[in-house]
Each structure stands twice: as C-alpha cells, then as structure tokens.
Amino acid sequence: MMLLPCPWCGPRNVTEFRYGGRAVERPDPGTTSPERWRRYLHLQKNPLGWDTENWYHSAGCRRYFAVQRHTGTNEVRAGEAST
Amino acid sequence: MSSSSNGRTASGGNGRRPDRLRDYSAWRLFRQGLSNDEWPRAWHHHDLRSSYDVVIIGGGVHGLATAYYLAANHGIRNVAVLDKAYIGSGGSGRNTAILRSNYLTPEGVRFYDRSVTLYEHLAADLNFNVMFSQRGHLTLAHNDSSLRTMRWRAEVNKVQKVDSEVIGPDKVSELVPYLDTSAQTRYPILGALYHPPGGIIRHDAVVWGYARAADAHGVHIHQKTEVLGIDVDGGRVSGVRTNRGSISAPIVVNCTAGWSTLISDMAGVDMPVQTFPLQAAVTEPVKPFLDTVVVSGTLHVYCSQTDRGELVFGASVDPFASYSIRGSLEFTEGVAGHVLELMPALSKMRLLRQWAGLCDMTPDYSPIMGPTPVEGFYVDVGWGTYGFKAGPVSGEAMAENIATGRVPEIIAPFGLDRFADGRLVGEKGAAAVGH
Ligand SMILES: Cc1cc2nc3c(=O)[nH]c(=O)nc-3n(C[C@H](O)[C@H](O)[C@H](O)COP(=O)(O)OP(=O)(O)OC[C@H]3O[C@@H](n4cnc5c(N)ncnc54)[C@H](O)[C@@H]3O)c2cc1C
Ligand SMILES: [Zn+2]
C-alpha cells in the first residue's frame, strides 16, 4: 500500500487521492504566447527522480496539496498545502 | 482479412534471405531430436564497433523490427541495436499481445491494418512460429454513448476495408456463452464491436524471431548496453555514449517506449510524453472456453485465453505517472471484481501472477514517429498501451524513412510536429482500455 501525507488528514492510502500532475506554473491563457501555451499543454518534463506534484484528496478533505515523490521508487516526502 | 494492396509485397522484404534463416525445419527438428546436440544460438554476441551506420536504442519489437527491415528491405546492415537489459525486457515482453486494427481515425486504421497484414505473414517471413491466433476481438458496449462510438468505428473501419461490425447481445452470447448478457446486471451488455481478424500472438516469439532474422542479416544486437548520453554537434547527431564505450553514428533511433523521454532529453529534444505503469495478470490454466478477446471500456478490463489455457487480464494504466513497475493490490481487486461482473462463472479461478510495464503516453493516444529537430536523430515512441501490434509496420516505415530520407505516407500523420500545428490524432476512444 502506498501512503500519501495529506497535510490536513495525515497519511492515507493513495486510492483516496486523485493525481493532479506535475506542479508547474500555468501561464495566463489571455496574455501568454501560443508557443508558451503549447509547451504548458504538451511539452512537460517526464523526469525519473524526485519531482514535485499536486494531489487532490478526493475521498477525504477535498483539498489540494503538493507532494515530493521519487518517480522511480514512489517514495514520498511531505509537501505543503497548495492554494 | 485485412487489406494489403499498397504495391509492395504483403510480407515486406526484398526476397533475398540469408541461409541461416532457413535452418529451422521439420527435418532439422527431427535430426536434433535424435542427435541430442545443442541448437545453434539464434543471435550472437559481438564486440562493440566504434562506429555503425545506424544505432537503434531499445531492443523491443520496435527497435528489432526497424533493424530487420533496414537490413532486409534496404540492405543497410551495419546496424546496432542496444538494450540496457535483455531484448524484450521492456513492454515487448510484458504486454498482453492483442493485435487488431479497428481504430477510430482513418490514419490510425490504415496504419494498424498494415501491421496486421505483416503479422499474418510474419511466421513465414522470419521462419519462426509467432503463433498469431486470429480468434476475433469483441469490444463490449454497456451504454448508448459507447454504442455510438462503436458504430462510428465500424463505419471508419469498413471504409478502410477492415472487417468490423456492431453486433447485438444475442450474437455476443453466441460468441462468448459465459458472458452475463442478462438485463439484470449493473452494466448490461447492449452490443459489441466485433472484429474477426483481431487476436493474440506469442509476444516473446515475435521479439526472438526479429532478433534472429536481424542477426542473420548482419545486425549486431548488444544486450546489457546502456546508453548514457547522445552526442549532438551543430544540430546533428554524431554518436552515443554507453557503459561499454562510445559509438559514432550519423543516425540514432530512439525506440525506448517507457524510457523514451530520458533518451530524447539526452539529444535535447522535448516530447509530449508521460510515463505510466500498466499492469496485467494471469490465472491458472483451464480448458479452452473463451475463443475471442473480450474488452469492456466501461468496466476498464479485458480478458483473453492463451493457447496454454491461462486467462490473461488487463486494464487501463495506473492512475499516476511513474517509472516504478511494482504491482498493486488495487489493480488486482479492480480487475477481479470487474471480470466477475462480466463472467460470474470465473469466481473460483485463481490468479497466478501479476506484473507491470511502462507506457509512454501521448496526449492523443497516438505514436510519435519520424525525424526530430536534431538531424539524424529519429524517434519511434509514444507507444503507450497499444504499441506491440504496431511493431512490424513501424519497423518497415522507420526503415524506409531512414534509408530514403523521406517520411513514408503511412506514418506522416504521426510526426512530432503535429503538436505544434495542432493536428492531433485522437485515438482515445479506441485505445484507452482495449490495447
Ligand atoms: C501490461 C501491458 C499490456 C499491454 N498490452 C498490449 C496489447 O495487448 N497490445 C499492444 O499492441 N500493446 C500492448 N502493450 C503496449 C506494448 O507492450 C508497447 O507499446 C510495446 O511493447 C513497445 O515496444 P517498444 O519496442 O517500443 O519498447 P519496449 O519493448 O519497452 O523496449 C524498450 C527497450 O528500451 C530499453 N532501454 C531503455 N532505456 C535504455 C537505455 N538508456 N539504453 C539502452 N536501452 C534502453 C529497455 O531495456 C527496453 O528493452 C501493453 C503494455 C503493457 C505494459
Ligand atoms: Zn485530506
């Protein structure tokens, strides 16, 4: 079983959460260039190693938070609450 | 049957076959049986040359098929296939071996259908039994919207001369009597997309057959040879660095599926690919009772029975990106529960094992093939959960691309540039669960 540390609920089984993808900055669609928007949409990194990502506690407090996860081993380190 | 009328021979190849490919025969089997001698090695170990004309990274079906067609169709034999582990250790040795061509887009259907045709002739071509069993493929519809997608797929398929039709619950239960087609279930079966030429194959045999044939044509297969870096000079690829030394090469091909972004990163090429694990499981063997491959998109499961009698179960990719290939209990529970909704009679069957492989997912569930902004650096990636069936056609087309410098029409829709131009090839409706 893989546990994720929700900052509000504590460690819970990963099945309670929804994966929110890599934590990257979303450009403002109104002002960004097509090229930057395309990179944001399609050309994200796919790293092997530690990475920061967003998770949503859908079967719990229903809040987002960031987690550091090693994508090769799925080891996680507590992250912080996202806004 | 699938169509094969594009001018070339149905099976590919230019006719000249090395003697070594012919040395598997009934007579040989008989003689070996009497003599007790060891069979000769099917492919050989070589020292690493300091340069090759083409270096292919990844010894799965895609890398090996590309090497084979380079040598067999174009006479380009100074080719190396490098794999960091052993050939077939990636998705090619872990998939559930389903072949079909009933996709959703015309370009997808045409492409996968060429592959089914090549597979139909592969055993004879490679003189290696790949056990292609065209037992038929059923995709079940449990609601109106999936029935609608299936009608759409059937029409697209028919235009491309692919045998594919929507059938009702009566015909479904005739084909698979063990399916619960009653109206009492939570997800009643309203119909199915039936694709008679689809089926399953012995995936290891395909890998070994291509390896043996490529080797017979002079290709070097280097196992335990990991690419650590790619050299690019002035926008041109010049070679690779491996744990066994450096190789210079004017052409480098990335055929590493789940690891493909790591390889493209080495050449400075960004790709719209995320790596997700995909799991599968197999039961103890029982007598044959399930003739066709059965897929349910709504229930996220599929099932087939192997020639040995085991049931093979699969599902959609794991819910988050990862390079880890550990199985999970959630997967087993999900698969078991959903299979039982389809076929309650299986409740006493025991699972023997489960495993996972890595899938290089693209935003449109279609592959990325052809040249990149780095000259001489080609990709044949984005194979996601559905790339085993495409090994032969990809190998054939990539070899032609490399040999002639022109992108063959059959793979032109799948270029890396489509993401900049917004020409995506949406295959999710035909590839998310049924691989
Ligand atoms: C459980 C499961 C079920 C599937 N079911 C189906 C199915 O039913 N039908 C279907 O068509 N497809 C299916 N697929 C998808 C299919 O397996 C893959 O798309 C296909 O095998 C990809 O083949 P490939 O040759 O491109 O890559 P792979 O077979 O993955 O080979 C890539 C190779 O690259 C090597 N490599 C990686 N990094 C390096 C490096 N740095 N240096 C050297 N070598 C390296 C690896 O060792 C590996 O052997 C399934 C996949 C899985 C996991
Ligand atoms: Zn919570």
Side-chain angles (χ1 to χ4, degrees):
Chain A
M1 191 173 19
M2 183 176 152
L3 296 178
L4 284 186
C6 175
W8 292 283
C9 312
R12 295 293 185 92
N13 192 342
V14 68
T15 51
E16 290 187 13
F17 300 86
R18 201 171 318 138
Y19 176 57
R22 302 192 64 221
V24 288
E25 203 195 320
R26 181 177 188 266
D28 173 10
T31 57
T32 190
S33 66
E35 174 58 20
R36 271 205 67 203
W37 187 250
R38 176 175 79 93
R39 295 197 71 80
Y40 167 73
L41 270 189
H42 296 313
L43 293 178
Q44 307 230 349
K45 288 285 168 202
N46 181 30
L48 171 51
W50 286 101
D51 200 17
T52 306
E53 53 198 17
N54 291 319
W55 286 80
Y56 174 61
H57 198 178
S58 51
C61 61
R62 299 206 273 154
R63 283 198 267 190
Y64 281 94
F65 60 100
V67 161
Q68 304 229 340
R69 182 172 61 98
H70 191 288
T71 58
T73 60
N74 288 340
E75 192 187 339
V76 286
R77 293 179 188 149
E80 69 240 38
S82 325
T83 40
Chain B
M1 293 287 287
S2 45
S3 60
S4 64
S5 51
N6 64 353
R8 275 169 297 189
T9 56
S11 54
N14 61 3
R16 216 193 69 77
R17 290 218 279 163
D19 291 344
R20 273 218 306 114
L21 274 189
R22 270 185 268 126
D23 67 10
Y24 288 173
S25 63
W27 158 243
R28 185 63 184 276
L29 186 65
F30 178 69
R31 212 183 66 194
Q32 291 286 138
L34 290 183
S35 71
N36 230 351
D37 288 348
E38 293 233 342
W39 284 90
R41 291 195 69 88
W43 56 88
H44 298 85
H45 182 79
H46 299 277
D47 291 335
L48 208 63
R49 285 192 194 140
S50 61
S51 86
Y52 287 94
D53 293 342
V54 181
V55 165
I56 296 170
I57 312 172
V61 67
H62 283 266
L64 292 164
T66 302
Y68 167 71
Y69 292 111
L70 273 172
N73 291 5
H74 304 281
I76 299 175
R77 299 196 168 79
N78 186 20
V79 175
V81 178
L82 316 180
D83 199 289
K84 69 182 169 122
Y86 56 92
I87 58 171
S89 57
S92 297
R94 298 166 180 275
N95 65 87
T96 45
I98 296 167
L99 310 188
R100 62 187 178 92
S101 60
N102 59 350
Y103 278 73
L104 181 60
T105 65
E107 52 272 50
V109 176
R110 204 177 310 133
F111 173 77
Y112 291 107
D113 193 45
R114 172 69 186 158
S115 217
V116 170
T117 304
L118 287 168
Y119 266 127
E120 284 169 347
H121 298 269
L122 200 61
D125 239 20
L126 305 179
N127 190 22
F128 203 93
N129 187 0
V130 292
M131 302 189 213
F132 185 15
S133 162
Q134 295 186 281
R135 52 184 58 200
H137 184 281
L138 274 180
T139 316
L140 305 176
H142 302 276
N143 53 46
D144 283 342
S145 74
S146 38
L147 209 52
R148 205 157 43 231
T149 311
M150 276 164 205
R151 289 215 179 87
W152 175 7
R153 276 168 71 180
E155 293 312 312
V156 175
N157 294 170
K158 283 177 199 160
V159 169
Q160 304 287 336
K161 300 196 175 59
V162 168
D163 192 355
S164 173
E165 60 174 326
V166 175
I167 59 174
D170 293 353
K171 183 83 195 293
V172 171
S173 76
E174 219 172 90
L175 287 165
V176 189
Y178 287 82
L179 276 179
D180 183 357
T181 47
S182 69
Q184 270 65 268
T185 56
R186 181 160 172 215
Y187 298 103
I189 294 168
L190 304 184
L193 185 66
Y194 180 40
H195 177 47
I200 51 176
I201 198 163
R202 179 75 207 281
H203 54 352
D204 297 315
V206 174
V207 170
W208 299 333
Y210 271 125
R212 171 174 171 274
D215 178 277
H217 276 286
V219 168
H220 283 189
I221 295 170
H222 296 293
Q223 305 185 87
K224 294 189 193 162
T225 308
E226 179 168 7
V227 172
L228 306 170
I230 296 179
D231 297 319
V232 178
D233 292 324
R236 249 203 145 283
V237 78
S238 60
V240 300
R241 277 165 279 134
T242 79
N243 60 337
R244 291 172 62 201
S246 294
I247 305 171
S248 68
I251 291 174
V252 173
V253 192
N254 178 1
C255 293
T256 54
W259 299 267
S260 58
T261 50
L262 306 174
I263 298 293
S264 284
D265 281 350
M266 293 176 190
V269 172
D270 290 331
M271 293 193 309
V273 168
Q274 297 282 313
T275 297
F276 283 77
L278 176 65
Q279 303 187 49
V282 69
T283 68
E284 61 191 337
V286 290
K287 284 191 177 166
F289 73 94
L290 179 62
D291 288 339
T292 55
V293 179
V294 177
V295 182
S296 165
T298 306
L299 292 172
H300 290 272
V301 283
Y302 60 93
C303 174
S304 71
Q305 187 169 25
T306 69
D307 295 328
R308 281 193 298 240
E310 303 143 333
L311 295 181
V312 177
F313 300 141
S316 352
V317 289
D318 281 3
F320 56 95
S322 179
Y323 287 88
S324 158
I325 49 168
R326 267 185 84 151
S328 68
L329 181 62
E330 291 84 29
F331 162 81
T332 327
E333 284 178 340
V335 149
H338 289 142
V339 164
L340 290 185
E341 284 193 56
L342 292 176
M343 289 185 271
L346 301 187
S347 64
K348 295 283 191 311
M349 298 264 308
R350 281 170 297 199
L351 276 190
L352 283 190
R353 57 180 185 279
Q354 77 187 91
W355 66 94
L358 297 183
C359 296
D360 42 339
M361 307 301 292
T362 58
D364 57 357
Y365 285 69
S366 290
I368 306 173
M369 308 176 73
T372 67
V374 173
E375 212 181 314
F377 181 67
Y378 292 79
V379 291
D380 171 11
V381 303
W383 287 111
T385 63
Y386 38 81
F388 194 77
K389 71 177 70 58
V393 66
S394 308
E396 182 186 59
M398 289 303 295
E400 186 182 333
N401 190 174
I402 291 161
T404 66
R406 284 187 306 274
V407 178
E409 203 190 307
I410 197 162
I411 60 166
F414 305 115
L416 181 57
D417 49 1
R418 74 175 182 275
F419 299 95
D421 307 347
R423 288 181 290 108
L424 273 58
V425 189
E427 282 290 3
K428 185 171 184 182
V433 179
H435 312 311

